[in-house]
């Protein structure tokens, strides 16, 4: 039998985009070979993650941004991750109504990725979805995820630019800070600014981020938006900031390097997590820590000595 010489990319081009994504999502070996063929062709699109708690207005902002990008003749891909979570299950119907004009537009592709990864983060299938949309000519890809948690931290590694959506009247800043994802955002949006009171959150953010960040206040991008108002809603400004950030990478040809740095970050974080779980999840680790705890309590050793003893036993010689 002759070898099949049709490349995955050519074969993929024959499939409707939604079928292609489904196949790449479910068929791991197809995904791998398609990914390696697509890799050199990627790097044109701007991947923007939009995250925030349930109901803050992520889909509404995405709908407005899509309208804006379409008016600039950009093609837009929208990936919504985990719409099946109990909090958001009902929102999909609302989204369909909110996005109804975009569903009829062939310059817009909308898709839900139902799965999350094993560790509660984003499933690895998202990488191939992004490559496919990139190569298919979508200039902007918007990913919607519901924070806070590992998925949010992952989003910081996957998206080129992350927009964190907050509300004027909630304690979300602290929640995101605790989850470790507050600082992964590039742009902070206080949505539903039409309700008033957003100035307080802006001040709170500036203080919190100022304390934890090497950047000066001027470098922080904090915008107030109203995704249900048409005039002067802040969405235009958001679009401008996004264009500006992306434009800079294109100008100095650094998007690929930016993505590589993020990928490396995700890889290292994954390895760190795996090493920690492996080292601390064993029976031996349990025994070592129990014994050391007892020694500390008896005043035999101090905590620093206990820590270096544990590292020596569990990490340097894990089999001992
Ligand atoms: N007053 C006001 N309401 C808004 C604004 N943006 C969104 N909403 C409303 O808030 C509700 C939730 O909006 P969505 O866009 O579905 O929010 P979401 O963050 O995508 O929600 P989930 O996907 O369920 O997490 C809807 O009823 C919107 O009409 C805004 O700027 N001002
Ligand atoms: Mg939504």
């Amino acid at each position: 039998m002759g070898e099949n010489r049709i490349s995955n990319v050519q074969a993929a081009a024959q499939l409707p985009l939604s079928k292609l994504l489904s196949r790449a999502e479910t068929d791991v070996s197809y995904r791998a070979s398609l990914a390696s063929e697509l890799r050199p062709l990627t790097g044109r699109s701007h991947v923007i993650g939009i995250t925030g708690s349930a109901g803050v207005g992520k889909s509404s902002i995405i709908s407005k941004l899509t309208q804006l990008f379409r008016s600039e003749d950009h093609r837009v891909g929208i990936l919504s991750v985990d719409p099946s979570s109990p909090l958001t299950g009902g929102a999909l119907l609302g989204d369909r109504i909110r996005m109804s004009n975009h569903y009829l537009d062939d310059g817009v592709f909308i898709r839900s990725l139902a799965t999350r990864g094993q560790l509660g983060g984003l499933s690895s299938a998202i990488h191939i979805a992004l490559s496919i949309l990139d190569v298919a000519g979508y200039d902007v890809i918007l990913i919607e995820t519901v924070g806070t948690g590992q998925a949010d931290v992952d989003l910081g590694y996957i998206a080129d630019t992350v927009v964190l959506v907050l509300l004027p009247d909630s304690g979300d800043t602290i929640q995101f800070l605790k989850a470790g994802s507050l600082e992964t955002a590039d742009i902070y949006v206080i949505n539903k600014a039409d309700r008033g009171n957003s100035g307080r959150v802006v001040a709170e953010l500036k203080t919190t981020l100022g304390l934890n960040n090497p950047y000066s206040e001027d470098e922080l991008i904090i915008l107030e938006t109203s995704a249900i108002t048409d005039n002067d809603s802040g969405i235009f400004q958001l679009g401008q900031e996004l264009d500006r950030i992306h434009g800079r990478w294109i100008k100095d040809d650094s998007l690929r390097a930016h993505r590589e740095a993020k990928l490396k970050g995700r890889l290292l974080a994954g390895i760190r997590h795996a090493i920690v779980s492996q080292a601390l999840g064993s029976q031996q680790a349990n025994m070592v820590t129990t014994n050391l705890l007892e020694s500390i309590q008896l005043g035999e050793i101090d905590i620093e000595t206990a820590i270096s003893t544990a590292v020596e036993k569990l990490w340097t010689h894990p089999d001992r």
Side-chain angles (χ1 to χ4, degrees), residues 54-60 62 80 88 91-92 95 98-99 144 146:
V56 292
K58 299 176 294 296
S59 302
S60 308
I62 285 175
S80 148
T88 54
L92 209 59
D95 284 356
R98 251 187 293 291
M99 306 251 184
E144 175 176 346
V146 185

Side-chain angles (χ1 to χ4, degrees), residues 16-35:
L17 213 46
S18 56
K19 283 232 168 69
L20 179 59
L21 280 164
S22 303
R23 178 155 182 214
E25 245 183 294
T26 49
D27 183 340
V28 180
S29 63
Y30 175 71
R31 186 199 306 169
S33 58
L34 184 61

Side-chain angles (χ1 to χ4, degrees), residues 25-104:
E25 245 183 294
T26 49
D27 183 340
V28 180
S29 63
Y30 175 71
R31 186 199 306 169
S33 58
L34 184 61
S36 67
E37 280 190 52
L38 288 179
R39 215 178 94 83
L41 308 172
T42 58
R44 275 195 59 258
S45 55
H46 185 189
V47 180
I48 302 167
I50 311 269
T51 187
S53 301
V56 292
K58 299 176 294 296
S59 302
S60 308
I61 290 174
I62 285 175
S63 181
K64 280 278 160 74
L65 274 180
T66 301
Q67 207 176 322
L68 181 69
F69 287 132
R70 290 299 291 140
S71 74
E72 295 164 353
D73 221 18
H74 290 321
R75 297 179 76 212
V76 181
I78 302 172
L79 297 174
S80 148
V81 179
D82 202 7
S84 57
S85 89
L87 276 175
T88 54
L92 209 59
L93 185 64
D95 284 356
R96 283 209 172 257
I97 298 164
R98 251 187 293 291
M99 306 251 184
S100 55
N101 50 339
H102 303 313
Y103 274 98
L104 301 173

